[in-house]
Amino acid sequence: MIFALHNKHLEYTNSQVQSIQYNNLKDLVIIILQLRQHVLDYDLIDEIVIINDCQDIKQDIEYLTKYVFNVLNIKLLTDINNLDLNLNYKDKLIKRSFDKSCSNTYYTLFNHLTNIDQFTTNNPKVTRILSSITFHDLLALRIPKDIVSNKNIKEINDKTYFVSESTYNKWTFNCNTFTRLQLLQISLNIIKQNCKNILFNQNLDIVVILCELNYHRDNAFHNFFHAVDVLQATSVLIKSLDLNEVDKFTLLISTLFHDSCHNGNNNALLQKNEAIHTLIGNTSILENIHFKMLYHLFINILNVNLINNLNHRLRFNHLKLNSLDLELSKDLILATDMQSHTSFLKILEGDLTHLNLLQIIIKAADISNVTRPLLISSQWAYRISKEFKSYELLDESSKIASVDDHVDIGELTVEKCVQLEPNTPNTQIFFIENFASTFFGSLDKKFSAEHAIFQELYSNLRNNYEYWKKVVNK
């Protein structure tokens, strides 16, 4: 489906095109965000185009599409008859990672990174509009209700997007059972509850909303579900740790962004795109990209003054605290690169610096799926197996057009996960034996005497491992 957004009256009829009229720039932004939350499907070629028919805000719209809504690949048209309706999902995935030009047909990572590198001046009008948008702007529908599912309409009307703290403050939390709106609420609640004294001079709602927007929904694993899962895991792991609020805020924000704009494959595959090497470098390519997205949003787009966001009392009492720490955030996100796994095992053998501790926490949260209770762990195992399978789509000679099976992952049983992805037991055994067992075993030895949660993680890991071994040996 093509969603054509226009300011002036539009005469156009096509079964593949839904036209939506906007009133002003803020109205346009809200419509785009509502389409993202309520309509755009994760595995289809849903496109947004804007008929650039309002001269007063033409430059603002160009700024939005180039620097804010990059992932949506919104096209600007002067004539709706120039619409390209012949889009292909497989081509979309291939060009996302490997295109070395600034394509206008599909989103490309190279184009996104190039736009960020070419960023020069913040648009104050756009910043003011974005900073005024809250979670509730997603609920008062400005898009036609007939394009929104009955399930989403009911969620809005019944206000079931509100989630109680008791559902996300334990290790039994299952991210796969929540809706998109609920994930936004959970993210906001976790950050606010852990950082009550920080005077953040931006509306936190738009930070989380734009963070979600920068995840590709057709990634089976590296998507916003994973980001929120890592955020929640981190919030549980730091409960008994003595951290100041700036460290907490930096850590929690970093977890949300730690896979921002992940292209659905890995560093090895991405190294094939030499053009991206020029922009990013040759090491921790994805992780450097993720941090670049965080920096772009906070500094370039929202123009946050990160040095002056602290309550005066906190700044006086804690001289090291000055706000979200960008340097720390980069160190944390880079720590999630699995290429550094062995070095962190060695670090765990000695005394940890404060930075080491925070890096270990985000790393543990990032690979903690195998330490969740078996049912939850198996659903994440299904997700990663499905994403690995999607790599076949990146082979132009492959005849596979899609790998989606249209299942509600939160409803899957352990047995169903194995039925859909038969290699799941073996992949889980491999990951536990080669990565997770030694790492979480070391955490258990180092922290469980004072922090019982690490013992729970390691116990779950051992139980899950024994289960998968029994399945394989049947």
Side-chain angles (χ1 to χ4, degrees):
M1 176 68 74
I2 306 293
F3 301 96
L5 313 185
H6 55 97
N7 180 253
K8 295 180 172 58
H9 180 71
L10 181 67
E11 291 286 351
Y12 186 81
T13 303
N14 188 304
S15 60
Q16 297 183 61
V17 178
Q18 170 74 56
S19 65
I20 304 174
Q21 189 169 9
Y22 66 89
N23 299 319
N24 50 50
L25 188 62
K26 181 172 183 178
D27 194 39
L28 174 64
V29 171
I30 291 173
I31 287 172
I32 292 171
L33 292 175
Q34 288 185 359
L35 285 172
R36 166 70 174 188
Q37 286 302 317
H38 304 301
V39 181
L40 298 185
D41 205 347
Y42 68 95
D43 66 330
L44 301 177
I45 299 293
D46 285 332
E47 292 283 314
I48 298 175
V49 300
I50 299 175
I51 311 304
N52 222 350
D53 56 359
C54 186
Q55 291 299 315
D56 292 344
I57 57 173
K58 183 177 180 180
Q59 288 185 338
D60 301 321
I61 292 174
E62 291 173 352
Y63 177 93
L64 276 167
T65 57
K66 186 173 183 179
Y67 298 121
V68 181
F69 296 132
N70 311 64
V71 168
L72 299 181
N73 198 41
I74 297 173
K75 299 175 180 63
L76 301 182
L77 301 177
T78 54
D79 186 350
I80 196 169
N81 292 303
N82 293 332
L83 272 177
D84 181 4
L85 300 176
N86 300 308
L87 301 174
N88 178 276
Y89 181 66
K90 183 172 179 176
D91 287 346
K92 172 185 172 183
L93 285 190
I94 292 173
K95 292 185 181 298
R96 176 192 298 176
S97 295
F98 302 132
D99 200 303
K100 301 176 183 178
S101 62
C102 294
S103 167
N104 191 44
T105 304
Y106 298 101
Y107 166 90
T108 73
L109 184 57
F110 175 76
N111 193 20
H112 193 164
L113 295 171
T114 299
N115 285 345
I116 292 176
D117 276 2
Q118 293 175 350
F119 182 91
T120 54
T121 307
N122 171 270
N123 183 316
K125 184 197 297 186
V126 171
T127 295
R128 284 195 301 271
I129 288 174
L130 289 173
S131 299
S132 70
I133 290 174
T134 69
F135 175 81
H136 294 285
D137 285 313
L138 302 177
L139 308 176
L141 293 182
R142 275 289 296 111
I143 58 178
K145 288 188 177 181
D146 60 359
I147 65 174
V148 181
S149 71
N150 291 332
K151 182 179 179 181
N152 285 22
I153 295 289
K154 181 174 173 56
E155 180 181 18
I156 293 172
N157 291 339
D158 296 347
K159 299 183 178 180
T160 54
Y161 47 80
F162 286 119
V163 181
S164 66
E165 183 180 354
S166 62
T167 62
Y168 58 81
N169 64 359
K170 301 175 183 177
W171 199 250
T172 53
F173 171 78
N174 187 356
C175 203
N176 297 306
T177 62
F178 294 96
T179 67
R180 296 171 181 175
L181 289 177
Q182 288 174 331
L183 293 182
L184 292 176
Q185 275 291 300
I186 290 169
S187 303
L188 288 166
N189 291 344
I190 288 175
I191 296 172
K192 290 175 181 177
Q193 287 166 6
N194 281 276
C195 309
K196 294 177 181 177
N197 294 313
I198 286 184
L199 294 179
F200 187 52
N201 72 351
Q202 290 291 324
N203 168 14
L204 187 60
D205 290 30
I206 193 60
V207 172
V208 175
I209 289 169
L210 292 182
C211 176
E212 189 281 330
L213 187 145
N214 275 280
Y215 279 88
H216 295 289
R217 283 191 177 158
D218 52 3
N219 291 347
F221 185 90
H222 290 101
N223 52 36
F224 193 62
F225 282 84
H226 171 61
V228 178
D229 185 64
V230 176
L231 169 71
Q232 188 274 343
T234 299
S235 71
V236 174
L237 295 179
I238 64 175
K239 275 184 180 180
S240 59
L241 299 179
D242 184 21
L243 301 179
N244 63 64
E245 286 202 4
V246 171
D247 282 345
K248 285 184 181 180
F249 185 64
T250 303
L251 181 57
L252 295 173
I253 289 293
S254 298
T255 62
L256 264 191
F257 281 85
H258 85 280
D259 276 328
S260 181
C261 224
H262 198 293
N263 61 334
N265 47 66
N266 55 36
N267 280 327
L269 286 171
L270 202 55
Q271 283 176 348
K272 296 179 181 179
N273 191 333
E274 295 178 2
I276 290 180
H277 287 192
T278 304
L279 296 173
I280 299 298
N282 294 322
T283 59
S284 300
I285 300 175
L286 279 169
E287 291 72 26
N288 276 294
I289 289 171
H290 306 327
F291 174 74
K292 196 179 189 76
M293 298 303 163
L294 182 152
Y295 183 95
H296 177 62
L297 174 63
F298 273 84
I299 303 301
N300 296 348
I301 303 304
L302 294 180
N303 198 25
V304 178
N305 186 343
L306 298 176
I307 303 304
N308 298 313
N309 283 345
L310 243 224
N311 175 298
H312 175 75
R313 179 178 58 81
L314 283 179
R315 190 185 297 114
F316 179 79
N317 291 336
H318 302 279
L319 295 180
K320 76 158 287 188
L321 306 184
N322 44 21
S323 109
L324 180 119
D325 186 334
L326 277 177
E327 183 178 350
L328 172 59
S329 182
K330 184 173 184 178
D331 287 337
L332 294 175
I333 292 175
L334 290 179
T336 64
D337 184 356
M338 286 302 293
Q339 290 295 318
S340 62
H341 184 77
T342 302
S343 65
F344 279 106
L345 290 178
K346 293 179 180 178
I347 288 172
L348 277 170
E349 294 174 358
D351 295 330
L352 301 183
T353 65
H354 186 65
L355 172 60
N356 290 157
L357 174 63
L358 298 179
Q359 290 175 315
I360 291 293
I361 292 298
I362 192 173
K363 177 172 175 56
D366 187 32
I367 62 172
S368 66
N369 301 148
V370 289
T371 71
R372 298 281 191 180
L374 179 63
L375 173 61
I376 303 170
S377 182
S378 64
Q379 291 174 357
W380 287 108
Y382 166 77
R383 279 187 177 277
I384 194 65
S385 295
K386 183 178 171 184
E387 185 162 300
F388 286 156
K389 185 183 290 184
S390 72
Y391 290 4
E392 296 180 49
L393 290 169
L394 301 176
D395 181 356
E396 296 191 46
S397 64
S398 169
K399 295 182 180 180
I400 298 176
S402 174
V403 297
D404 189 64
D405 38 35
H406 296 281
V407 299
D408 185 341
I409 296 175
E411 295 293 324
L412 293 180
T413 63
V414 177
E415 294 74 19
K416 189 65 176 178
C417 289
V418 175
Q419 179 184 337
L420 291 172
E421 293 294 341
N423 202 37
T424 293
N426 287 315
T427 58
Q428 290 298 283
I429 290 171
F430 175 84
F431 186 79
I432 292 172
E433 288 181 345
N434 290 276
F435 298 100
S437 183
T438 304
F439 180 75
F440 286 104
S442 298
L443 289 181
D444 179 45
K445 291 178 183 177
K446 203 169 194 70
F447 296 114
S448 61
E450 297 180 5
H451 311 285
I453 183 62
F454 293 98
Q455 185 175 9
E456 180 180 348
L457 268 62
Y458 192 49
S459 176
N460 286 344
L461 178 74
R462 293 198 308 269
N463 292 337
N464 293 344
Y465 178 74
E466 292 302 321
Y467 177 84
W468 296 124
K469 290 288 285 186
K470 290 178 181 177
V471 171
V472 169
N473 292 331
K474 277 186 179 179

